[in-house]
Amino acid sequence: MKQSILFVCLGNICRSPLAEGIMLHLMKQNALDVKIDSAGTANYHVGEAPDRRTIKNAKMHGIDLAQLRARQLVENDLEEFDKIFVMDRKNYRDVMRLTNGKKSQSKIHLFLEFTENETHQEMPDPYYGDERDFEQMFLLSLKACTKLCNLLKTQHF
Ligand code: 4NP
């Protein structure tokens, strides 16, 4: 069956849609057929396009996020997706709270676990930051998505 990955942050307008957009790009580039989606634990921005600063930065790197729309995480996502990558520990706790069984709990991981980065185990939230924070988010996301893509290619996933 087709594998599936869900990225989760708070608002679904900065960190998780960027991860979704980069992964979609890498899946296409590598001809991999994996379902990719993203959601937020909060409902503040439901229906909105990603933050304009996220769109602008990603576009500079050749990734188009303009068509994505924010949605809120629902309980069914925990059943439906094989892997759920959360951006920070607060997301982790919020998603864990929605789980009712051990099976779905084992699907939930911190996204930056994949980068083996000593400095960043959590993806910094750029929402109240400046351009440098959006660039840092992009570089960290690209690194983690590239690793994830390599795992998918070798099936060590
Ligand atoms: P995200 O960033 O969780 O990466 O989408 C945020 C988006 C919105 C807010 C905070 C963080 N907010 O407070 O509205």
Side-chain angles (χ1 to χ4, degrees):
M1 210 171 71
K2 187 164 162 169
Q3 288 177 301
S4 57
I5 296 174
L6 181 71
F7 296 103
V8 176
C9 62
L10 175 66
N12 194 210
I13 55 167
C14 294
R15 294 165 292 175
S16 63
L18 177 63
E20 178 184 352
I22 294 174
M23 264 321 260
L24 286 170
H25 181 81
L26 292 176
M27 294 298 95
K28 200 169 172 187
Q29 221 172 41
N30 289 276
L32 288 171
D33 187 21
V34 178
K35 178 178 169 178
I36 310 289
D37 197 2
S38 68
T41 55
N43 64 359
Y44 316 142
H45 299 281
V46 169
E48 293 177 20
D51 185 287
R52 60 181 167 72
R53 299 163 298 174
T54 309
I55 292 181
K56 184 177 166 199
N57 178 275
K59 198 172 174 185
M60 275 173 9
H61 292 281
I63 307 284
D64 180 15
L65 304 177
Q67 305 312 314
L68 301 181
R69 292 294 176 268
R71 72 171 181 91
Q72 190 174 19
L73 181 74
V74 292
E75 247 179 275
N76 189 49
D77 290 325
L78 304 167
E79 298 295 320
E80 197 182 318
F81 286 87
D82 298 322
K83 297 274 181 197
I84 299 172
F85 292 108
V86 297
M87 297 296 156
D88 60 34
R89 294 197 172 89
K90 168 86 169 62
N91 302 151
Y92 187 83
R93 287 193 297 275
D94 288 341
V95 179
M96 279 298 222
R97 213 171 285 136
L98 273 184
T99 64
N100 44 22
K102 283 207 161 72
K103 191 165 175 274
S104 52
Q105 289 185 350
S106 65
K107 297 176 178 181
I108 306 165
H109 303 272
L110 274 175
F111 181 42
L112 292 186
E113 270 177 17
F114 279 94
T115 59
E116 290 155 25
N117 184 319
E118 300 284 312
T119 327
H120 295 284
Q121 282 159 359
E122 301 178 277
M123 180 71 76
D125 181 353
Y127 192 66
Y128 295 105
D130 61 24
E131 274 179 25
R132 283 166 302 185
D133 300 295
F134 282 84
E135 178 65 7
Q136 180 194 47
M137 170 174 70
F138 186 90
L139 296 176
L140 287 169
S141 303
L142 179 62
K143 200 170 171 191
C145 285
T146 303
K147 264 211 153 135
L148 202 48
C149 178
N150 288 337
L151 288 174
L152 286 162
K153 276 202 284 193
T154 53
Q155 293 298 312
H156 294 306
F157 180 69

